Amino acid sequence: MLKIMFWIVTGLVAVIGGAVIRDMVGRRGIKSLLISAVDFSGLRDGVYTGQYKGGRWSNKVKVTVASGRVTAIDVVRDIQYQSEVTRKAINEVIEAQSLQVDTVSGATITTKAFLKAVENALVETKQRR
């Protein structure tokens, strides 16, 4: 019985340890993620979808461009759901008409993953010319 418990505990430690390591590697990758300086002045009107795949920080957004300006950003899918963080980031991007905004304090990784999805959507506007 003691031997069985030992193997069960060992297996649980291995699974949890693997998840923790994967999470740490994911965090490091997203923290160093570069957000390109997209020129908002050349955006074509339309609704564009962008996504970022980064484990539990994966997300998908729809970006609305009207009269050459980003007017709305809707979160279609957000695995690491933090509505307040996302709302702040959306407001910053729309107000600044730029992706070069400050990350939300205490939520750098979530903010960067969101900004990358928006960047990916806006890159699509350039490709549709």
Side-chain angles (χ1 to χ4, degrees):
M1 181 68 167
L2 192 55
K3 197 173 193 179
I4 292 172
M5 290 299 288
F6 170 78
W7 286 112
I8 290 173
V9 170
T10 301
L12 287 172
V13 168
V15 168
I16 293 170
V20 168
I21 290 170
R22 224 177 8 261
D23 189 61
M24 287 171 42
V25 169
R27 285 176 185 266
R28 200 171 313 127
I30 295 170
K31 226 175 197 177
S32 63
L33 192 64
L34 296 176
I35 307 300
S36 298
V38 175
D39 179 13
F40 275 48
S41 66
L43 299 177
R44 289 182 64 134
D45 291 357
V47 178
Y48 302 93
T49 302
Q51 65 181 343
Y52 174 73
K53 293 183 179 181
R56 70 180 189 147
W57 293 279
S58 297
N59 62 73
K60 186 175 185 179
V61 297
K62 280 190 180 177
V63 179
T64 303
V65 177
S67 301
R69 294 180 52 83
V70 172
T71 57
I73 302 171
D74 298 307
V75 178
V76 176
R77 182 176 33 95
D78 189 356
I79 293 174
Q80 181 71 18
Y81 186 74
Q82 294 187 7
S83 62
E84 186 62 29
V85 170
T86 305
R87 197 171 323 121
K88 284 181 182 179
I90 288 170
N91 291 338
E92 289 284 324
V93 170
I94 291 173
E95 185 177 312
Q97 290 296 299
S98 171
L99 295 177
Q100 304 307 306
V101 297
D102 291 335
T103 57
V104 177
S105 179
T108 300
I109 294 168
T110 301
T111 307
K112 280 195 154 191
F114 166 78
L115 290 172
K116 195 62 172 181
V118 175
E119 175 190 332
N120 291 338
L122 295 179
V123 165
E124 184 183 336
T125 72
K126 304 288 187 179
Q127 293 171 350
R128 286 197 185 174
R129 289 184 176 224

